[in-house]
Amino acid sequence: MSGGIRVCHVLNALGDGGVQNLLLNMVERSESNVEHSISYLNELETSLEPAFRAKGVEVTDASPGGQFDPRAVGALARHVRKRDVDVLHAHLPWQQVVARLAGLVTDTAVVSTHHNLGDNSHPAVLAAERATRLLDAATAAVSETVAERHAGRWVGADDRWRVVHNGIDVPGFREEVRSRDGIEAGQKRATPDGGAESDSSAPTFLHVGRYIPGKSQRDLLHAMASVVEEAPGAHLYLVGWGDLEADLRAAADRLGIADNVSVTGYQSDVEDYYAAADAFVSSSLSEGFPITYIEAMAAELPVVSTAFGGAADIVADGETGFVVPTRDRAALADAMARLTDPEERAELGRAGYERAEELFDVARTEAEYREIYRECLDESATGAPPTPR
């Protein structure tokens, strides 16, 4: 590809996750002179590899021994040389370490993006990531909070950071959600199983995320129990996957709201649930920059969120939804109860869509990364050191 840029994204795995879907959207909007490929370090049972290949993206397994196999450095270096890769773009701490070392031995520019706060990463991995960070041509984070957390984790942190928000195809997602029930947002919707909502003042809430302690869905269930006291017809869909699935069903039963809560398990097609919902709600304790919030705003749903680090980057409190303290079940319930008014839901939802379209469309994300790639290659060609960000 003469005169173009060859970018290889280094991922943990090709599962159905936020980063992978972000890259699928970026590929669709990539300019013709930017060629993307994928190297992953961990194979999962659920894979998006066919989706990438359908878009003409080459996919390689860079570590047959598993994601923490040090031989991944050599495998990735061989891939870089074979495919004449210009930029390695790594998306999680261990993958950043591998990409930086492979970049060092092949003289390839490395861009690192931090997608979360690092709370679930092993301390040794975080230390290795920090120790190799100066090998980056550019270091990015998906939110100001993520940048501050990683840059400030050790004394002597540098300020060479870019903040590039994740994005989705905002108009496209809205149209896809609308097509599921064929009606405009704000009107009575159908439930995913084909039933009809009974009362527009009894809202349907949606939460999409893994069933793990960090999502704190039990706080959400307690808040929902309070909402149901005032709006008996309210319903909550917990869409996700994880080890706590049975525990969440049991908790809903103990709270007496089993009929008001659907713990759906994994769903490959979430648009039906966005179409059925009146509002999106999250009780997370820690997040980086959740794509599900952007999806909710694109679907014209108000967002009720706990005040984890990245929430303020996405939700405009009082304008597109409400932000409440973490672990405050009463405040979460109060915010949810405010959304029993259909007019207020519609107003917040419209404002959320406008904010998402302006700030979080994937076309903007792709353009910002494309500019970073070009800057890194320009610096490499001139021999100049990376410019402080």
Side-chain angles (χ1 to χ4, degrees), residues 5 7-9 11 14 19-38 48-59 89 91 167-169 362-363 365-367 369-370 373:
I5 302 173
V7 181
C8 177
H9 297 274
L11 305 178
L14 276 179
V19 177
Q20 294 86 344
N21 281 292
L22 167 68
L23 294 181
L24 280 170
N25 281 321
M26 284 179 59
V27 167
E28 289 180 344
R29 281 148 191 82
S30 183
E31 290 189 348
S32 59
N33 66 339
V34 180
E35 180 182 282
H36 296 272
S37 64
I38 303 287
L48 288 178
E49 182 170 342
F52 278 104
R53 292 195 182 279
K55 296 181 185 298
V57 176
E58 181 183 17
V59 178
H89 189 167
H91 293 271
I168 67 169
D169 176 5
V362 72
T365 307
E366 192 278 333
Y369 277 125
R370 189 184 342 120
Y373 300 152

Side-chain angles (χ1 to χ4, degrees), residues 147-165:
E148 291 168 2
R149 173 70 68 87
H150 284 280
R153 196 179 288 273
W154 284 274
V155 176
D158 57 63
D159 60 355
R160 299 184 300 107
W161 286 83
R162 296 281 187 90
V163 173
V164 181
H165 295 313

Side-chain angles (χ1 to χ4, degrees), residues 168 173 189 203-208 220 274 277-284 287 289-308 310-325 331-339 344-356 360:
I168 67 169
F173 193 85
R189 303 166 186 258
T204 297
F205 296 100
L206 173 65
H207 172 81
V208 180
L220 179 51
Y274 283 106
D278 295 302
F280 189 93
V281 61
S282 173
S283 49
S284 287
E287 297 265 6
F289 195 87
I291 289 290
T292 53
Y293 281 38
I294 310 305
E295 292 176 343
M297 293 163 71
E300 298 184 280
L301 302 180
V303 177
V304 176
S305 172
T306 44
F308 60 81
D313 286 22
I314 308 175
V315 183
D317 188 29
E319 297 177 15
T320 67
F322 305 109
V323 180
V324 302
L332 184 59
D334 288 343
M336 293 169 67
R338 290 185 62 177
L339 297 177
E344 182 165 18
R345 292 198 302 259
E347 182 178 349
L348 294 169
R350 284 192 296 269
Y353 177 83
E354 292 172 359
R355 180 174 173 83
F360 309 128

Side-chain angles (χ1 to χ4, degrees), residues 5-11 23 26 76 85-93 95-104 108-115 129 132-141 160-164 365 368-379 386 389:
I5 302 173
R6 294 183 176 91
V7 181
C8 177
H9 297 274
V10 186
L11 305 178
L23 294 181
M26 284 179 59
L76 186 59
V85 172
D86 299 303
V87 177
L88 284 168
H89 189 167
H91 293 271
L92 284 173
Q95 288 69 49
Q96 288 156 6
V97 173
V98 171
R100 289 162 183 166
L101 296 178
L104 182 65
T108 304
V110 177
V111 175
S112 291
T113 296
H114 294 264
H115 290 269
E129 185 281 314
T132 57
R133 193 177 296 163
L134 286 176
L135 297 175
D136 279 347
T139 308
R160 299 184 300 107
W161 286 83
R162 296 281 187 90
V163 173
V164 181
T365 307
E368 290 182 8
Y369 277 125
R370 189 184 342 120
E371 182 62 25
I372 290 174
Y373 300 152
R374 287 172 175 162
E375 288 179 5
C376 292
L377 294 178
D378 288 345
E379 290 166 353
R389 311 298 184 198

